Amino acid sequence: MKINQTILKEFILVGFSVYPHAQTVLFVVFFCLYLLTLTGNLTIMSLTWVDSRLHTPMYFFLSALSFSETCYTLTIIPRMLVDLLAKKRSISIIGCGLQMYFFLGLGGTHCLILTLMGYDRFLAICNPLRYPLLMTNMVCGKLVVSAWAAGFFISVTEIALIFRGSFCSPNLIKHFFCHMRAVVRLSCLDSELTEFIVTAISVSGLMGTFLLIILTYIFILSTVLKIPSAEGKQKAFSTCASHLTVVIIHFGFASIVYLKPEASGGDDTVIAVPYTVITPFLSPLIFSLRNKDMKNAFRKVLGKTHFLNKKSWITDA
């Protein structure tokens, strides 16, 4: 236990203040990426809502993923953008705890929904005859609710471990948000043990969901290879390509953040950018650009909008 230390009531987020000359440029870049991320996710949610052809389990899970990702970025990026322009970067301990709670909960939910999307593709390809019976709207809804419940249960567990005691000075969090490993090191209690436990929980959840997805794709691959026609194989693979690409990017960047050895050095602030900013930006881009149904739905909405505008213009004339 640390002794002779001042008990803290707030933290200072160091963030990108160590790069003072780059903060304006970083603000512009991150702000543009955040707007594009929001636009992409809101577009996916809107299209799956208005187009009846997208009222299927696959697009239901995609819409749920976009919603969780929107909430996930909302907990981190707006605060980061404000801090890039602000001189005072303090955050209360309660505010820090809430940010960490939502970040961890939504991050866990995101991983679980990606796993559900893999499970959905597994049932659709490996068990197509029973798929409509197994993956009903009710089942889809229950699975997504379970993902949210499990994600936030893990988050509550980690928050209880990290915030069970007081925090000692210095009050500097060497990050642009309340990352658990950066915060737990300021604990007055045995921070090394707590850091090991919460990191083990996060890594177990991360690797567990990733291995489940890999397992589903092993079964999918074995089934697809048995399809006699090349066209059938290509169609089956095309429904999985976007999801698999996002999985590799998401878990790849996440593993760099959570599996990086302490002795390896490097700036944790910079290392976390791909996971918290770049991945959410790429995800809706990949799901929309590589998806024929999404592109057709988007063209349909644009066509309707153009027709209504033209009709309104003729009526006014």
Side-chain angles (χ1 to χ4, degrees):
M1 183 180 291
K2 300 174 186 177
I3 58 174
N4 297 328
Q5 298 281 356
T6 304
I7 303 301
L8 303 179
K9 294 184 178 179
E10 66 176 18
F11 298 120
I12 303 295
L13 294 168
V14 176
F16 296 98
S17 62
V18 293
Y19 310 106
H21 300 296
Q23 287 188 87
T24 304
V25 175
L26 289 173
F27 174 84
V28 173
V29 172
F30 291 155
F31 181 71
C32 292
L33 288 175
Y34 182 53
L35 284 182
L36 291 170
T37 301
L38 280 180
T39 303
N41 283 318
L42 290 174
T43 300
I44 288 173
M45 287 187 284
S46 301
L47 289 176
T48 53
W49 178 264
V50 301
D51 196 321
S52 58
R53 292 174 299 180
L54 301 181
H55 292 174
T56 63
M58 182 173 73
Y59 292 108
F60 174 80
F61 289 127
L62 178 56
S63 181
L65 186 76
S66 295
F67 179 72
S68 71
E69 197 162 61
T70 301
C71 298
Y72 172 82
T73 54
L74 193 63
T75 63
I76 301 296
I77 300 181
R79 169 79 201 209
M80 179 186 68
L81 292 173
V82 171
D83 285 345
L84 280 169
L85 300 180
K87 292 183 179 180
K88 183 177 173 62
R89 298 180 176 88
S90 62
I91 183 171
S92 67
I93 289 182
I94 294 176
C96 183
L98 286 172
Q99 187 189 56
M100 192 188 300
Y101 168 72
F102 285 108
F103 173 76
L104 293 173
L106 291 164
T109 301
H110 197 75
C111 291
L112 289 167
I113 293 177
L114 282 171
T115 307
L116 292 178
M117 293 175 77
Y119 176 66
D120 173 68
R121 291 299 83 208
F122 162 73
L123 288 180
I125 294 172
C126 300
N127 205 346
L129 296 179
R130 296 190 62 199
Y131 176 70
L133 299 175
L134 295 172
M135 199 60 76
T136 62
N137 291 337
M138 181 68 72
V139 171
C140 291
K142 288 181 178 179
L143 288 173
V144 170
V145 170
S146 299
W148 278 78
F152 278 92
F153 174 77
I154 295 171
S155 176
V156 166
T157 304
E158 293 179 319
I159 292 294
L161 288 169
I162 295 169
F163 287 85
R164 73 185 192 279
S166 302
F167 295 91
C168 297
S169 60
N171 65 339
L172 300 177
I173 297 177
K174 296 178 181 179
H175 223 296
F176 58 85
F177 70 99
C178 289
H179 190 274
M180 64 176 191
R181 291 174 71 175
V183 174
V184 77
R185 290 167 191 162
L186 303 179
S187 175
C188 297
L189 303 176
D190 187 355
S191 60
E192 290 185 3
L193 177 61
T194 305
E195 182 179 355
F196 173 78
I197 294 171
V198 295
T199 301
I201 293 171
S202 294
V203 170
S204 299
L206 192 72
M207 297 306 296
T209 50
F210 180 68
L211 290 174
L212 282 174
I213 294 171
I214 295 300
L215 185 63
T216 59
Y217 272 103
I218 290 173
F219 285 113
I220 288 171
L221 181 62
S222 64
T223 301
V224 170
L225 291 176
K226 295 176 185 177
I227 298 175
S229 66
E231 184 181 352
K233 290 179 181 178
Q234 184 180 2
K235 185 178 179 181
F237 277 128
S238 65
T239 61
C240 303
S242 298
H243 175 252
L244 191 56
T245 304
V246 171
V247 164
I248 292 170
I249 293 172
H250 175 81
F251 285 95
F253 284 141
S255 63
I256 293 172
V257 173
Y258 288 101
L259 300 179
K260 182 181 78 70
E262 197 63 36
S264 64
D267 189 343
D268 289 342
T269 302
V270 176
I271 292 171
V273 168
Y275 180 56
T276 54
V277 181
I278 307 299
T279 301
F281 163 70
L282 291 175
S283 180
L285 204 63
I286 293 167
F287 277 120
S288 56
L289 291 180
R290 293 181 60 89
N291 191 298
K292 185 187 294 184
D293 293 334
M294 274 288 169
K295 288 189 282 189
N296 289 337
F298 187 65
R299 292 191 193 101
K300 183 180 176 182
V301 170
L302 286 180
K304 282 185 177 181
T305 304
H306 177 72
F307 174 76
L308 290 173
N309 289 337
K310 187 175 180 181
K311 185 178 179 181
S312 176
W313 181 79
I314 293 172
T315 303
D316 293 340

